[in-house]
Amino acid sequence: MQGVQDQVWLKMWKTNSAELREKAVLWRTQNALTRIERPSRIARARRLGYKAKQGIIVVRMRVGAGGMRKQRPTGGRRPKHLGVTRIKAAVSMKQVAERRVLEKYPNMKLFGSYFLHKDGMYYWFEVILADKSHKSITKDKELRKRIH
């Protein structure tokens, strides 16, 4: 059963609403990895284990779309700098986003992530992380079970 908020997001995606396009314009100007105060899709975040408490953070990750369709330049360049080595056909954009966030926050544990928006250039995901050594997380039985 979908919640009301999930239905609103679904309707926004299907109609490509102006509100969502405006948000995407703002997100494009921000860094690829942006820590945010609260989730955009709160119902989805709660299903993944999000709680509004210290030790749990939400990160919006932007991943470049169309990695496998990009023509590889020949010769004279280092493969690392071509932008073709990190996105593989068998790995979803969601997994790429999660991996890049975990590289930035190595002390955090992944709770999950969900799709936000995509346009011709980028995919956006929100990733929920928990600090396994934070006092408020270790005291919470439910969260402690999920982390360890």
Side-chain angles (χ1 to χ4, degrees), residues 15-139:
T15 60
N16 196 13
S17 74
E19 185 184 345
L20 199 53
R21 286 195 312 265
E22 286 171 20
K23 283 184 181 187
V25 169
L26 176 70
W27 295 342
R28 264 184 234 115
T29 63
Q30 296 173 344
N31 293 334
L33 192 143
T34 308
R35 186 172 167 176
I36 55 178
E37 277 190 38
R38 63 181 63 88
S40 304
R41 295 175 59 192
I42 191 75
R44 181 74 179 108
R46 286 214 176 105
R47 284 198 302 268
L48 290 172
Y50 171 79
K51 289 183 179 180
K53 57 169 31 183
Q54 290 183 338
I56 295 181
I57 66 166
V58 183
V59 177
R60 185 185 311 112
M61 184 70 209
R62 183 183 75 209
V63 183
M68 292 310 292
R69 290 184 296 278
K70 191 167 163 186
Q71 202 66 42
R72 189 190 186 285
T74 53
R77 295 173 195 85
R78 210 171 141 196
K80 182 179 181 179
H81 300 303
L82 292 174
V84 294
T85 58
R86 293 181 73 188
I87 296 177
K88 283 96 180 155
V91 180
S92 72
M93 291 294 186
K94 183 177 175 181
Q95 289 172 319
V96 170
E98 289 172 355
R99 186 196 64 213
R100 288 181 186 179
V101 168
L102 286 172
E103 284 172 7
K104 178 75 174 173
Y105 296 97
N107 65 320
M108 301 292 231
K109 192 84 170 175
L110 178 72
F111 264 14
S113 63
Y114 51 88
F115 174 80
L116 270 185
H117 184 64
K118 80 170 194 160
D119 60 12
M121 292 274 290
Y122 302 109
Y123 283 82
W124 284 276
F125 296 93
E126 280 186 6
V127 182
I128 300 167
L129 303 165
D131 185 357
K132 52 190 172 223
S133 60
H134 197 283
K135 209 177 271 186
S136 67
I137 303 294
T138 54
K139 286 182 179 178

